[in-house]
Amino acid sequence: MNRRLLRKIKNGVFLLLSLIATMVGLACLAAILWTLLSHGIAGMSGHLFTQMTPPPGSAGGLLNALYGSAVMTLLGILIGSPIGVLAGTYLAEYGRNSRLSTVIRFINDVLLSAPSIIIGLFVYEIVVVRMGHFSAFAGALALAILAIPVTLRTTEDMLNLVPVGMKDSSAALGAYPWRTTLSVLYPAARSGIVTGLLLAIARISGETAPLLFTALNNQFWSTNLNAPMANLPVVIFQFALSPYKDWQDLAWAGALIITVTILVLSISARVLLALLQTQQGSGR
Amino acid sequence: MAIIDPRHAAKQLIYERIFRSATLTAAILVLLILGGVAVSLARGAWPALDHFGFSFVSREIWNPVTDQYGALAPIYGTVVTSAIAMLLAVPAGFGIALFLTELCPPLLKRPIGVAVELLAAVPSIIFGIWGLFVLAPVLQRHVQPWLIENLGHAPLIGSLFRGPPYGIGILTAGVVLAIMVLPFIAATMRDVFDTVPAMLKESGYGLGATTWEVMWNVVVPHSRVGIVGGIMLGLGRALGETMAVTFVIGNAHRISSSLLAPGTTISSAIANEFTEAVGDLYTSSLIALGLLLFLITFTVIAAAQAMLRRLERRGVAGI
């Protein structure tokens, strides 16, 4: 009887600890969001979206940084996602069981968790050193390299979910694999692939380390892709660590904008995926 | 009905070749990127490695004025901050995974799971500024004085908790890293626990085992490989994490016996100094740091992936 009580107590202690761990995890998320909201809303103002990043001691906004982030993220996705989608198509359709595919899948998973600062150094070596100066293009390229593994992985997974019968039917009608892929598989896996794109955008739009020595930063308005360009993460990095109150407020406002954007993207990706799953569930 | 038009068929074949080679090229590009990273880092690091030889990784000195560089302090900082992070995040991640798979009411399972995953989506720079402005002052005021008072004079570990409470430093960086990798570890462990056949667990309960006993004696042994894989994946993240650490580590190129002292890590040294580095040897030394980081994280992540893959295969074969 005593032994049974001991086991029960042990069970209770560990389950309590597990509950506490979950609480702590959720509390961290809540604390971060709360800090961002309370500091960020104070920094919000109409100037944020109409004025450039200011010199210390004067008021200003984040227009150039927002523009730069949007341009580089968009360019990064435009370069990276077609490569990711095509490579995912190869893995799912053409080379499903080949040794090459096994290696590529493995390397891709490694790239997926590789430190982003390494990618920044790589682009610095191959682009910035060759061109002799920092540029928005180099920044976009670094982001593109980070977007590839995310889109590749989701594309392959989603294509694998398409029922084999659909592929066989298309082949039976005499369609070549390329036609089947474009007209049957891609439409069937569309929301899954879009999910991958959203996740990739969420991943790269908050990246700071790879932009530090590729796009650098720019205090002024610039649309030149061949010159350094302002971007939100690097501006937050510089402004938050500065001693100036104005700059710190802008950093908090920028941090709030980035986080809200990324959380909205991640949540929409999840909702899209959930919709896809219920659709497939009812289809059967 | 169908009349085969040879011209049409030939055209189809050409499109097929084009599409196939486009997908193959994209797939091979992934290999080339990883190869390119290795080659370009090795080339950029060569001047420093050639100049300092093995002493690059064994010396603590980091002096841009005299052009003397050694990587020991950043390596130490990277290893110690990651160790602190794992020490905190692994038990907590295990707890969250246990809660989500065994305890959580089904209605809350998904929302809590999504919340944990959202924590993983928060960019590292946000953890950095939160760590600097919120966590560091809290640790400085409440946690570090307690550690100094109660553990500072303890035998063996006492020297780890001496010196003034700066707030920022190795310990704070480790705590921020722990919060960052926690969702990765928790989510991987949860997925691994979910692969344990319900029959095994039910058998345990049927023998009268408590929830914890089923967890520890059935679920954990069954998913050992996956647990280690998940931990190593988190470790890979912690080792390479840059921005969050850069904010709170204090950026001092020295090795202190105390965990409360400022330090540096490989990635934060690169992030802080790279754009300001003048001189070829300085830049090359920073790239050599990058090469070190690449080799370390590549090994850890590759091992993690290999373990998780083994589990996947077994999972399929086990059905």
Side-chain angles (χ1 to χ4, degrees), chain B residues 50-317:
Chain B
D50 188 39
H51 188 268
F52 295 115
F54 181 73
S55 72
F56 181 74
V57 293
S58 65
R59 292 198 309 168
E60 191 186 334
I61 187 169
W62 187 271
N63 192 336
V65 180
T66 55
D67 242 8
Q68 292 294 315
Y69 305 101
L72 199 58
I75 294 175
Y76 171 83
T78 301
V79 170
V80 173
T81 50
S82 299
I84 296 172
M86 298 325 275
L87 221 55
L88 296 172
V90 169
F94 181 82
I96 294 178
L98 166 63
F99 179 81
L100 285 175
T101 45
E102 298 297 322
L103 294 180
C104 189
L107 201 65
L108 288 177
K109 206 168 173 170
R110 207 173 143 71
I112 295 181
V114 170
V116 170
E117 284 163 20
L118 285 185
L119 189 61
V122 173
S124 65
I125 188 160
I126 305 297
F127 282 96
I129 123 173
W130 180 76
L132 179 65
F133 288 102
V134 179
L135 188 68
V138 170
L139 290 180
Q140 183 178 24
R141 258 178 251 138
H142 304 294
V143 179
Q144 293 183 346
W146 185 88
L147 287 174
I148 295 166
E149 188 131 324
N150 293 292
L151 295 177
H153 303 290
L156 290 176
I157 58 163
S159 62
L160 293 177
F161 303 102
R162 277 185 204 146
Y166 287 105
I168 54 173
I170 300 261
L171 180 70
T172 311
V175 174
V176 173
L177 276 182
I179 301 173
M180 284 202 69
V181 298
L182 177 63
F184 290 100
I185 295 180
T188 321
M189 283 195 188
R190 177 198 59 188
D191 294 346
V192 172
F193 292 166
D194 276 340
T195 63
V196 177
M199 181 108 69
L200 281 183
K201 288 194 274 186
E202 296 302 333
S203 314
Y205 287 123
L207 289 172
T210 61
T211 310
W212 171 254
E213 285 165 347
V214 168
M215 197 65 201
W216 194 247
N217 299 315
V218 177
V219 175
V220 169
H222 190 268
S223 45
R224 205 169 31 219
V225 184
I227 294 174
V228 177
I231 292 174
M232 296 194 46
L233 210 56
L235 179 61
R237 295 257 168 189
L239 289 168
E241 182 41 52
T242 309
M243 298 320 292
V245 174
T246 306
F247 271 91
V248 295
I249 189 115
N251 304 307
H253 272 280
R254 60 163 187 264
I255 299 175
S256 314
S257 62
S258 173
L259 295 181
L260 308 180
T264 188
T265 68
I266 295 178
S267 51
S268 66
I270 301 172
N272 260 312
E273 299 173 36
F274 198 79
T275 44
E276 285 151 24
V278 279
D280 291 341
L281 202 56
Y282 196 178
T283 310
S284 173
S285 297
L286 286 167
I287 296 177
L289 282 183
L291 182 66
L292 276 177
L293 181 65
F294 175 74
L295 294 176
I296 297 171
T297 50
F298 181 85
T299 314
V300 171
I301 299 169
Q305 292 298 345
M307 285 179 171
L308 289 172
R309 233 154 261 266
R310 218 169 84 193
L311 185 83
E312 260 166 45
R313 258 207 309 271
R314 198 182 65 183
V316 173

Side-chain angles (χ1 to χ4, degrees), chain A residues 184-256:
Chain A
V184 177
L185 298 181
Y186 281 166
R190 193 174 49 214
S191 27
I193 295 173
V194 172
T195 306
L197 292 187
L198 290 179
L199 288 176
I201 297 174
R203 165 88 204 265
I204 66 175
S205 55
E207 281 291 352
T208 317
L211 294 178
L212 281 174
F213 20 84
T214 51
L216 201 66
N217 196 359
N218 191 337
Q219 206 192 320
F220 306 103
W221 175 259
S222 165
T223 54
N224 185 357
L225 287 180
N226 203 19
M229 191 181 262
N231 58 88
L232 215 39
V234 175
V235 167
I236 295 173
F237 178 49
Q238 286 184 349
F239 281 19
L241 287 176
S242 78
Y244 313 108
K245 177 89 178 40
D246 306 333
W247 276 19
Q248 288 185 1
D249 286 348
L250 279 176
W252 281 111
L256 180 61

Side-chain angles (χ1 to χ4, degrees), chain A residues 7-8 10-11 14-15 18-19 21-22 25-26 28-29 31-32 35-36 83 86-87 89-91 94 100 102-115 117-119 121-122 124-126 130 134 145 148 152 176-179 181-182 186 203 206 208-209 212-213 216 233 236-237 240-241 248 251-252 255 258-259 262-263 266-267 270 274, chain B residues 9 12-13 15-16 19-20 22-24 26-31 33-34 36-37 40-41 43-44 92 95-96 98-99 103 110 112 114-119 121-123 125-127 129-130 132-134 179 182 208-213 233 236-237 240 242-243 246-247 267 270-272 274-275 283 286-287 290 293-294 297-298 301-302 305-306 309:
Chain A
R7 284 175 54 209
K8 272 194 157 169
K10 195 171 158 193
N11 186 46
F14 279 114
L15 295 191
S18 122
L19 184 68
T22 311
L26 293 179
C28 286
L29 181 64
I32 289 171
T35 313
L36 281 177
I83 298 174
L86 282 176
T89 309
Y90 178 80
L91 295 186
Y94 288 112
L100 177 70
T102 314
V103 175
I104 290 173
R105 243 173 243 133
F106 187 77
I107 295 297
N108 189 64
D109 282 350
V110 170
L111 278 178
L112 199 61
S113 350
I117 194 164
I118 299 285
I119 305 299
L121 281 179
F122 170 57
Y124 174 85
E125 283 284 302
I126 60 165
R130 298 260 159 87
F134 300 102
I145 293 177
I148 292 174
L152 189 157
Y176 278 83
W178 74 272
R179 172 56 86 188
T181 307
L182 290 184
Y186 281 166
R203 165 88 204 265
T208 317
L212 281 174
F213 20 84
L216 201 66
I236 295 173
F237 178 49
L241 287 176
Q248 288 185 1
W252 281 111
I258 278 198
T259 311
I262 288 172
L263 290 187
S266 312
I267 294 174
R270 258 159 251 280
Chain B
Q12 287 289 314
L13 210 59
Y15 286 143
E16 177 61 28
F19 188 70
R20 195 194 152 98
T23 60
L24 182 63
I28 286 177
L29 202 62
V30 174
L31 294 183
I33 288 174
L34 195 81
V37 170
S40 72
L41 286 183
R43 238 183 33 196
I96 294 178
L98 166 63
F99 179 81
L103 294 180
R110 207 173 143 71
I112 295 181
V114 170
V116 170
E117 284 163 20
L118 285 185
L119 189 61
V122 173
I125 188 160
I126 305 297
F127 282 96
I129 123 173
W130 180 76
L132 179 65
F133 288 102
V134 179
I179 301 173
L182 177 63
T210 61
T211 310
W212 171 254
E213 285 165 347
L233 210 56
R237 295 257 168 189
T242 309
M243 298 320 292
T246 306
F247 271 91
S267 51
I270 301 172
N272 260 312
F274 198 79
T275 44
T283 310
L286 286 167
I287 296 177
L293 181 65
F294 175 74
T297 50
F298 181 85
I301 299 169
Q305 292 298 345
R309 233 154 261 266

